[in-house]
Amino acid sequence: MKVAVLAGDGIGPEITAQAVRVLAALATDGLALELVYGAVGGAGYDAAGDPLPAETLALCEQSDAILFGAVGAPRYDGLERALRPEQGLLRLRKHFDLFANLRPALVYPELAHASSLRPEVVAGLDLLILRELTSDIYFGKPRGIVVNEAGQREGFDTMRYNEGEIRRIAITAFEAARKRSRRVCSVDKANVLETTQLWRDVVTEVHADYPDVELSHMYVDNAAMQLVRNPRQFDVIVTGNMFGDILSDEASMLTGSIGMLPSASLNAAGFGLYEPIHGSAPDIAGKGVANPLGAILSAAMMLRYSLGQDAVATRVEDAVRAALRGGARTADIAREGEPTLSSEAMGDAVLAAL
Ligand code: NAD
């Protein structure tokens, strides 16, 4: 199995280095894993004048998965849009048709204090939000701002989904649920929007092939409320691009620190790009204090979803849990006065547990 490692900018290289140490340890332990390295984002621009150099894209095409750090830094802000670091990531998503965005939100008992909700509401939370990433009102045409017959400016967008787009994300949801607690909640607004009535119909049709997975439906307004009322009722939530955009940010904040959260973006073949949800954090870059757990947990997701290594993925996740249980804390997840570790020392703690 070959993995393209694209560390990027800012804290990207610092946190990715710790995920690579974990993968290297697994390789030493018998996992047939080859890591290849490419420049992306600002680092790609510096190396080849392009945030996604042709050489990097070729590396990704020859690999089974991409492990991504983060891109962006203030010094690239003056570049024209096509050369900005973020374009490297957007082009990778487009090139590989990464339509399924998986964002787990998990609260470790030791970190329940870091959530904005009461610990008893979030302790033990373990849900997966699956957001469709390449269609919906964000891409639907026609769209625009015109002057209407009354002489007023009028803005409009088009919410659109075809059944193929819905079917493939529904399949991803049911497959993901099979790797978890086998419950899918599909979120829509079928009481008001035709597009999401079709969404509900197609998800229900696909469900016929997954009798072992429980399916429920929920309106998006209720889902937004339930996420803060009783988030532990959910296992997998699947929804469209716009609703998913909003709900996944809401869910991620239930967990406390942005540095803890991994994500995956997958295509129909199961090829995926795996990255922590945070950015390049220029405010702490170069200090060696960033939390590497989001990156390490992204590597675990990669093992599970693209490399078919479920048991190894669980081993990595258990090692993260054990490190936290043992008191390992970077600054972002420490209580006031608690001793804090560098990124590398947190990597050491996970490796020791592994
Ligand atoms: P950010 O996620 O980089 O940082 C937000 C805050 O969270 C900062 O205070 C930062 O120090 C903290 N933080 C983030 N990751 C952390 C970690 N692992 N450990 C400890 N603290 C952490 O978001 P931002 O500041 O809005 O953006 C900075 C740059 O990152 C911008 O150039 C932006 O475009 C880019 N960005 C990239 C991605 C990506 O690569 N996928 C995503 C978001 C933002």
Side-chain angles (χ1 to χ4, degrees), residues 11 68 70-73 86 89 258-259 275 278-284 290-291 332:
I11 62 169
F68 195 91
V71 290
E86 291 75 9
L89 180 58
I258 196 173
E275 56 170 337
H278 60 74
S280 56
D283 53 334
I284 56 169
N291 185 345
D332 57 312

Side-chain angles (χ1 to χ4, degrees), residues 15-295:
I15 50 147
T16 305
Q18 302 312 315
V20 163
R21 287 176 75 202
V22 168
L23 291 173
L26 294 169
T28 310
D29 208 19
L31 192 69
L33 205 57
E34 185 195 349
L35 304 179
V36 291
Y37 299 85
V40 76
Y45 176 78
D46 289 343
D50 183 349
L52 183 60
E55 200 179 312
T56 300
L57 186 59
L59 269 187
C60 295
E61 279 178 336
Q62 293 152 16
S63 299
D64 300 296
I66 302 168
L67 186 66
F68 195 91
V71 290
R75 68 193 176 95
Y76 303 107
D77 285 352
L79 291 175
E80 64 175 275
R81 189 160 296 280
L83 296 177
R84 298 234 188 115
E86 291 75 9
Q87 290 300 317
L89 180 58
L90 296 177
R91 280 165 55 193
L92 279 170
R93 284 186 184 151
K94 196 164 174 170
H95 182 84
F96 290 104
D97 194 17
L98 304 173
F99 68 89
N101 184 227
L102 283 72
R103 273 206 202 182
L106 210 140
V107 174
Y108 298 89
E110 296 80 7
L111 303 184
H113 66 87
S115 172
S116 53
L117 295 189
R118 290 198 309 273
E120 66 268 27
V121 177
V122 294
L125 175 73
D126 181 2
L127 72 85
L128 176 68
I129 300 231
L130 186 45
R131 165 188 173 193
E132 200 286 333
L133 207 56
T134 52
S135 185
D136 202 356
I137 194 165
Y138 293 171
F139 295 92
K141 295 213 169 81
R143 59 192 288 161
I145 300 173
V146 294
V147 177
N148 68 14
E149 285 166 9
Q152 290 192 58
R153 282 176 299 162
E154 186 168 312
F156 60 98
D157 296 274
T158 306
M159 178 177 261
R160 270 198 124 97
Y161 265 115
N162 66 48
E163 57 182 317
E165 290 167 335
I166 303 169
R167 190 166 292 117
R168 64 183 188 173
I169 190 84
I171 290 171
T172 310
F174 291 120
E175 293 289 341
R178 278 186 169 165
K179 297 187 159 94
R180 300 171 46 94
S181 299
R182 296 180 181 251
R183 287 181 294 123
V184 170
C185 178
S186 172
V187 169
D188 61 40
K189 191 72 183 167
N191 50 342
V192 182
L193 297 170
E194 299 299 334
T195 317
T196 74
Q197 180 61 55
L198 178 68
W199 176 281
R200 186 175 284 217
D201 294 347
V202 174
V203 171
T204 305
E205 286 162 27
V206 174
H207 180 231
D209 294 333
Y210 295 87
D212 54 317
V213 178
E214 185 187 307
L215 171 66
S216 60
H217 302 276
M218 194 179 277
Y219 297 136
V220 62
D221 42 346
N222 188 23
M225 182 180 75
Q226 295 298 333
L227 270 175
V228 287
R229 194 185 75 85
N230 176 18
R232 282 183 302 204
Q233 69 186 281
F234 297 110
D235 178 25
V236 175
I237 291 177
V238 63
T239 190
N241 202 345
M242 180 165 64
F243 298 159
D245 190 2
I246 299 164
L247 294 181
S248 63
D249 267 24
E250 185 189 7
S252 69
M253 277 302 101
L254 300 176
T255 69
S257 173
I258 196 173
M260 294 291 303
L261 294 169
S263 77
S265 302
L266 305 179
N267 70 15
F271 179 87
L273 180 149
Y274 297 81
E275 56 170 337
I277 71 162
H278 60 74
S280 56
D283 53 334
I284 56 169
K287 297 182 179 160
V289 297
N291 185 345
L293 295 182

